[in-house]
Amino acid sequence: MKLRTLAAGLVPLLVLTAACGGGGSEKTTSASGKELDRVTLTLNWYPYGEHAPFYYGKKQGVYEKHGIDLQIQAGQGSQKTVQATGAGQTDFGWADTPALLAGVGQGIPVKSLGVFLQITPASVQFFTEKNIKTPADLKGKLIAGTAGDALSKTFPAFLQKNGMKESDVRVQNTDPAGKIAAVMSGQVDALLGYASDQGPTMQDKAGKPVSYLRFSELGLNFYSNGLIAGERMLQSDPDLAKRMVTATSEAWAAAERSPQQAVDSMQGASEQLPPAKVLTDQFNTTLTLLRTDATQGKAPGVNTEADWQETIDVFAQAGVIPDPKPPADYWDAGAAMKG
């Protein structure tokens, strides 16, 4: 997988030694002379508002405090990030939990170190002028979805929980990058997407308000994006994994306290970076997704086995994981944040 390196270091660093990703980290030194582990983190996609805590944590020296020189790379979808992480092509990944579940089921040696977006941003998105207020209003509508992704896999369960059948709605298979254009051109009535991603972008491009039917508010919640690592990393350098988890939790907590500064820290992260207002809207929505009822008041990234089991059950029923396993097969609680 071709990955694009983003976010150049904020402090001059001198490379000392090199090593293969996932099997022992490259060492660098900071301007103050502190030895750091050079760590690659591959995102689920090109940078957008949800990723602000990583850039803010780097800028504020949170990762350096924990001995980490963080290098952030763009991804090409959660599935590819899971594959790259399991193969040791990146030290850590940021990926959607359904992709992790499916990957483990396919034998990819990867585990979650903690899900940070514990409320799914999955939603049906449409222009407010469509006057869609409830799931029943979707009857007869044409919706852009992407075959095989988590949204399309769970959409039937969403409909069922709201008294509808799959046949009540038509889903048009659409490339992920083309869904917004399909709605804006009027080819479809709505799209399946993340409230923390496509919606703010579509609203900005069209100059008119977007509304949502959010799965989590209508009977269906499951874990979304989180930090992942390959089994090789976890076995060869468990201390680095724990430091990465701690630093990431602290970075998210700092960004939660200072959301605008966190968004501002993304400036220059990528040529594909959304406009500042879109980034702000995306991150403000992201902040509503950090905790379930079981983790209220806890640090970002603290998970519970019960929430993991609920997510596993949702995707077992949706057919994403035909042979569901216990949470410990997907989540390394030993390296994860403790409640």
Side-chain angles (χ1 to χ4, degrees):
M1 177 172 102
K2 183 179 180 182
L3 298 171
R4 181 177 176 183
T5 303
L6 303 169
L10 296 160
V11 177
L13 296 168
L14 173 66
V15 176
L16 298 179
T17 59
C20 219
S25 62
E26 178 181 312
K27 301 294 184 181
T28 68
T29 52
S30 69
S32 63
K34 181 177 181 178
E35 185 175 85
L36 307 174
D37 289 300
R38 189 175 190 273
V39 165
T40 53
L41 170 70
T42 299
L43 304 175
N44 56 316
W45 197 246
Y46 289 101
Y48 59 94
E50 174 185 304
H51 305 131
F54 297 112
Y55 293 91
Y56 191 57
K58 182 177 175 72
K59 183 176 181 180
Q60 294 295 309
V62 174
Y63 286 96
E64 184 176 329
K65 181 182 77 171
H66 290 281
I68 293 171
D69 167 22
L70 184 66
Q71 303 297 308
I72 306 170
Q73 300 177 334
Q76 297 176 335
S78 287
Q79 182 179 358
K80 289 187 177 181
T81 297
V82 168
Q83 292 169 345
T85 306
Q89 295 166 1
T90 181
D91 298 311
F92 298 94
W94 179 256
D96 204 16
T97 300
L100 170 81
L101 298 177
V104 171
Q106 294 161 6
I108 297 175
V110 64
K111 278 191 173 181
S112 173
L113 299 180
V115 176
F116 285 71
L117 306 193
Q118 299 171 18
I119 304 294
T120 178
S123 59
V124 186
Q125 306 179 14
F126 41 83
F127 289 122
T128 305
E129 65 190 23
K130 287 285 184 179
N131 202 33
I132 297 172
K133 304 292 186 184
T134 69
D137 295 328
L138 296 175
K139 287 186 178 180
K141 296 291 193 293
L142 181 61
I143 300 176
T146 300
D149 71 0
L151 288 155
S152 294
K153 289 279 191 179
T154 53
F155 187 49
F158 168 78
L159 293 173
Q160 183 180 20
K161 282 185 176 292
N162 288 279
M164 298 174 65
K165 305 185 296 291
E166 285 187 64
S167 58
D168 288 334
V169 180
R170 294 176 296 153
V171 178
Q172 178 174 294
N173 186 26
T174 310
D175 181 84
K179 289 195 286 191
I180 289 176
V183 175
M184 290 180 61
S185 67
Q187 294 176 24
V188 298
D189 299 298
L191 62 80
L192 295 176
Y194 289 155
S196 54
D197 184 2
Q198 292 95 337
T201 297
M202 187 161 66
Q203 184 166 281
D204 179 72
K205 287 185 174 182
K208 54 185 180 181
V210 170
S211 294
Y212 309 84
L213 295 177
R214 288 173 63 159
F215 287 18
S216 64
E217 295 174 353
L218 292 160
L220 188 67
N221 187 48
F222 46 86
Y223 273 170
S224 186
N225 289 347
L227 188 67
I228 64 174
E231 295 274 15
R232 182 181 176 195
M233 159 65 74
L234 293 171
Q235 292 168 7
S236 67
D237 202 341
D239 174 68
L240 177 57
K242 289 182 179 180
R243 283 188 283 125
M244 181 66 176
V245 171
T246 301
T248 298
S249 181
E250 289 182 13
W252 275 78
E256 190 176 15
R257 292 190 298 269
S258 304
Q260 192 55 56
Q261 290 92 324
V263 170
D264 291 344
S265 71
M266 296 190 74
Q267 185 175 358
S270 167
E271 292 177 2
Q272 288 84 7
L273 199 68
K277 185 180 185 309
V278 173
L279 288 173
T280 298
D281 289 346
Q282 289 174 333
F283 189 52
N284 285 340
T285 299
T286 298
L287 290 176
T288 70
L289 309 173
L290 300 188
R291 297 172 182 88
T292 65
D293 289 344
T295 55
Q296 289 299 319
K298 305 292 186 183
V302 172
N303 293 177
T304 70
E305 187 168 332
D307 283 341
W308 266 100
Q309 190 61 57
E310 180 181 352
T311 295
I312 292 165
D313 291 345
V314 166
F315 287 98
Q317 292 163 14
V320 173
I321 42 174
D323 181 25
K325 305 182 189 313
D329 283 40
Y330 306 105
W331 171 47
D332 189 329
M337 287 293 295
K338 303 299 186 287

